[in-house]
Amino acid sequence: MSVNQNKVDQTRPFLDHLIEFRTRILFTVISFFLIFLISYFTAPYFIDLIKQSAKTYHINLNIFKVTESVSIYMKVMFFQSLCVTIPILVFQIYLFIKPALEKSINKIVLYTLPVVSLLFMVGALIGLKIFVPLLLSFFLNVSENLSVETVYSFTDFFTFVFTVCLIFGFILELPAILSFLTLLNVITPQKLKQYRKFAYPLLCFFSVIVTPPDVVTDLIVMMILFMIYEISIYICDIFSRIRTRNMEKLIPNEKEVT
């Protein structure tokens, strides 16, 4: 009887964590759908913003399907909901792992949560203001060289802008994500330095894919990605020292208790 009771006691914490994790994921999903419904009222503003960016390059956006207008609204609403839900998801993850964090690390994580959201927004803005014009100018030049009249779909144009903004939004979040993993002792600055020989070629490959086949543009994007990676290592090194210092403080306290 006691053996069975011990097994139940051992599995109960796991089940409690699983239930809590499910609850927080469910809360995030419900938040996403609620924001999705609310974003219907703000979608026209973003659609006008896309129209203005297209007019800058004298691009006439067209609709080729009867249902495409509804699809445009849905995609714009999805983009807005995703941008707002990401901070909610990060905060729910923080609440889930909060009991396992030391008090000092807990404060650091809590203060850096707004930075995560801000970095995503800044990255998306960089993608919209810098890389979307670069890519558009390249594709327009190719169309002119072919001497053909190009007809642009509103859905394709928005998908293009959305993809670029999303990619650079997540790229700029790299320092915050790696710092967070360093606090959890999942990675270390030493490992990141060792992985340079693998990370740099991958970053070069990525920069060549997302930019026009122009050497200058490729080099600029490569330098930005390298700089973000090195900044991530530097920030992770700071967080690693903070974690080590806190662990050294905890060890004497545990000895005094024993």
Side-chain angles (χ1 to χ4, degrees):
M1 186 69 179
S2 61
V3 175
N4 293 332
Q5 185 65 34
N6 289 332
K7 289 182 179 179
V8 172
D9 293 337
Q10 290 175 359
T11 56
R12 187 171 297 164
F14 175 75
L15 292 175
D16 291 340
H17 290 312
L18 192 62
I19 292 171
E20 183 185 357
F21 182 75
R22 184 188 63 180
T23 303
R24 299 200 179 281
I25 293 297
L26 185 62
F27 178 82
T28 305
V29 173
I30 293 173
S31 301
F32 175 84
F33 282 108
L34 288 175
I35 296 166
F36 183 80
L37 295 174
I38 296 171
S39 63
Y40 172 79
F41 301 100
T42 57
Y45 168 77
F46 288 94
I47 291 174
D48 290 337
L49 190 65
I50 295 168
K51 288 180 181 178
Q52 291 175 5
S53 62
K55 287 180 180 178
T56 305
Y57 293 91
H58 307 288
I59 295 175
N60 294 320
L61 300 178
N62 301 275
I63 294 178
F64 299 105
K65 297 179 182 179
V66 176
T67 59
E68 190 170 352
S69 57
V70 177
S71 175
I72 291 167
Y73 261 93
M74 297 289 283
K75 288 184 178 182
V76 173
M77 290 163 63
F78 176 81
F79 176 72
Q80 294 178 83
S81 304
L82 184 65
C83 291
V84 178
T85 307
I86 285 176
I88 297 174
L89 175 62
V90 173
F91 186 68
Q92 291 300 314
I93 293 173
Y94 160 73
L95 292 176
F96 179 72
I97 65 171
K98 180 181 176 182
L101 300 175
E102 293 91 354
K103 289 184 178 180
S104 55
I105 295 178
N106 188 11
K107 291 181 181 179
I108 295 171
V109 174
L110 184 61
Y111 293 150
T112 54
L113 285 178
V115 178
V116 175
S117 304
L118 182 63
L119 287 174
F120 179 81
M121 298 297 180
V122 171
L125 188 63
I126 290 173
L128 179 64
K129 295 297 184 180
I130 297 176
F131 290 98
V132 167
L134 282 173
L135 292 169
L136 276 177
S137 61
F138 166 73
F139 291 129
L140 290 172
N141 288 331
V142 172
S143 298
E144 290 179 1
N145 292 333
L146 291 174
S147 300
V148 294
E149 184 178 354
T150 307
V151 180
Y152 295 91
S153 167
F154 196 107
T155 301
D156 292 340
F157 186 81
F158 172 74
T159 303
F160 165 75
V161 174
F162 169 75
T163 303
V164 173
C165 292
L166 198 64
I167 287 172
F168 285 95
F170 282 116
I171 284 175
L172 215 65
E173 279 197 328
L174 183 64
I177 293 172
L178 293 178
S179 301
F180 183 71
L181 293 175
T182 301
L183 286 174
L184 297 179
N185 203 26
V186 176
I187 60 171
T188 61
Q190 290 74 22
K191 287 183 180 179
L192 291 175
K193 291 176 183 177
Q194 292 175 359
Y195 293 155
R196 273 199 189 105
K197 56 185 177 183
F198 304 110
Y200 274 30
L202 288 174
L203 294 175
C204 291
F205 180 72
F206 176 80
S207 64
V208 171
I209 290 176
V210 300
T211 56
D214 175 34
V215 177
V216 176
T217 306
D218 291 343
L219 289 175
I220 292 173
V221 176
M222 285 179 193
M223 294 302 295
I224 292 173
L225 293 177
F226 293 163
M227 184 174 63
I228 291 174
Y229 190 82
E230 293 300 326
I231 291 172
S232 300
I233 294 176
Y234 177 75
I235 296 174
C236 288
D237 188 47
I238 294 173
F239 280 104
S240 179
R241 292 176 186 176
I242 294 172
R243 178 181 174 81
T244 303
R245 197 180 305 121
N246 291 330
M247 293 302 294
E248 289 175 352
K249 290 179 180 178
L250 285 174
I251 293 173
N253 293 333
E254 290 179 358
K255 290 181 178 179
E256 290 176 3
V257 172
T258 55

